[in-house]
Structure formats: structure tokens, C-alpha cells
């Protein structure tokens, strides 16, 4: 029995000694991986499309630095891995959200073009007539539409998809309520 305990203790001692060099220096490789992942996230425009996730990665990297200063390299390793994983997640989420924002921006431009055609038809009396309050709003929207579409296309070219959404979303919704048969204004 004592011999088993001695060999078990010896095994633990050998394993502990083998792990000791791994903990004697900060995990620089993992920190470099986290930095590369942060660069990828920034390139994917995570600051715009996944800011919360990007901030989590940045915070984890700061926590890594603090753990290194304290000499807690195991904790630093955990923070570096967390920063890397959070940054990769931010990059993926940013790419997904950017694609969705682009789709919405393109759809809003097409919707506004179609609604303007419908509005002109309704104003000309070739379709069911509009209510008196809707006529005024619709005329104003039709007058503003060319400038809005031009600005939206410019923003689309600059890949400012959220800007297109901000510019057109409420105009499209309002015009849709006024000119689409069956739609009700609240």
C-alpha cells in the first residue's frame, strides 16, 4: 500500500514539474491569436454590426494584460482564449448582420421605387382614390423620393447599409400605409 502512494505521489510530482514550465511565462501565442482575431473582427466592421461582442473581446484582452501583470498566467491564458473566441464570434456576427443590413437596404430602395409608382397612380386617380390627409402626405413623399433614392444609392455604394435603413425605413412604412389598399394608418 505505501508503495502505491509513493508512486502516485511521484507521478503527481512529475506531472506538476512538467506543467511548471508551461506556467512560467505569459501565454504569448494565445494573446497573439486574440489580437489577430480582433483585427479580423474590426475588418469585418464589428464596431458597427457587433459592438457588444467586440467590446467583450477587448475587455477579455485587457483582463489578460492585468492577469499577466499579477503573474497569474493560467488566468491570463483563459482570458486570451476568451478574447480570441469572442473576437471570432464578433467577426462572424458582424458579417451576418452586415449582409442582413445590405439586403434590407436594397429591399428598401426597391420598395420605395415601387411605392412611388403606386402613389403616382393613386394621385392620378387611375387607382382607388386616397383620403384627403393621405393625398398631402403622399404628394410630399413623391416629391422627396428622387432625392431620397439618390442619397440612398450613394450610401449603398459607400456600404453604409444602416444609413440607408435610417434614411428610408420610416418613409417606406408611411408611404406603404397611405397608398397600399387595405393598409391602415395608426
Amino acid at each position: 500500500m505505501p508503495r502505491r502512494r509513493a508512486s502516485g505521489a511521484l507521478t503527481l510530482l512529475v506531472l506538476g514539474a512538467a506543467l511548471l514550465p508551461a506556467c512560467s511565462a505569459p501565454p504569448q501565442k494565445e494573446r497573439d491569436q486574440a489580437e489577430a482575431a480582433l483585427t479580423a473582427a474590426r475588418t469585418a466592421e464589428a464596431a458597427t454590426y457587433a459592438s457588444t461582442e467586440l467590446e467583450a473581446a477587448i475587455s477579455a484582452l485587457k483582463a489578460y494584460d492585468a492577469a499577466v501583470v499579477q503573474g497569474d498566467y493560467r488566468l491570463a491564458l483563459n482570458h486570451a482564449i476568451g478574447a480570441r473566441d469572442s473576437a471570432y464570434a464578433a467577426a462572424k456576427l458582424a458579417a451576418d448582420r452586415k449582409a442582413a443590413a445590405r439586403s434590407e437596404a436594397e429591399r428598401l430602395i426597391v420598395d420605395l421605387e415601387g411605392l412611388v409608382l403606386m402613389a403616382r397612380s393613386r394621385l392620378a386617380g387611375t387607382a382607388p382614390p386616397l383620403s384627403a390627409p393621405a393625398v398631402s402626405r403622399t404628394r410630399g413623399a413623391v416629391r422627396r423620393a428622387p432625392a431620397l433614392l439618390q442619397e440612398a444609392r450613394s450610401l449603398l455604394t459607400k456600404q453604409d447599409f444602416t444609413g440607408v435603413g435610417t434614411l428610408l425605413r420610416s418613409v417606406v412604412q408611411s408611404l406603404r400605409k397611405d397608398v397600399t389598399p387595405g393598409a391602415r394608418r395608426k
Side-chain angles (χ1 to χ4, degrees), residues 111-132:
D111 285 355
L112 183 56
E113 291 169 337
L115 287 167
V116 166
L117 291 175
M118 188 183 298
R120 287 184 179 140
S121 175
R122 301 274 316 258
L123 289 170
T126 57
L130 297 170
S131 67

Side-chain angles (χ1 to χ4, degrees), residues 49 93-107 161-162 169:
Y49 296 103
L93 186 58
D96 292 347
R97 287 180 177 169
K98 184 177 180 180
R102 180 186 187 113
S103 293
E104 182 193 20
E106 291 169 345
R107 182 188 49 78
F161 308 126
T162 56
R169 196 173 293 114

Side-chain angles (χ1 to χ4, degrees), residues 9-96:
L10 182 60
T11 303
L12 285 175
L13 185 62
V14 170
L15 281 174
L19 291 175
L20 196 59
C23 301
S24 65
Q28 189 61 43
K29 179 181 90 173
E30 288 79 3
R31 188 187 199 295
D32 293 343
Q33 290 172 348
E35 280 290 345
L38 274 170
T39 300
R42 288 182 180 112
T43 301
E45 299 180 61
T48 301
Y49 296 103
S51 60
T52 302
E53 293 77 6
L54 179 65
E55 286 303 318
I58 291 168
S59 293
L61 202 55
K62 287 178 183 175
Y64 164 92
D65 292 335
V68 167
V69 167
Q70 294 172 358
D72 190 344
Y73 299 147
R74 287 189 192 279
L75 182 60
L77 175 65
N78 289 339
H79 287 307
I81 291 169
R84 180 196 66 203
D85 293 348
S86 293
Y88 282 142
K92 182 182 179 340
L93 186 58
D96 292 347

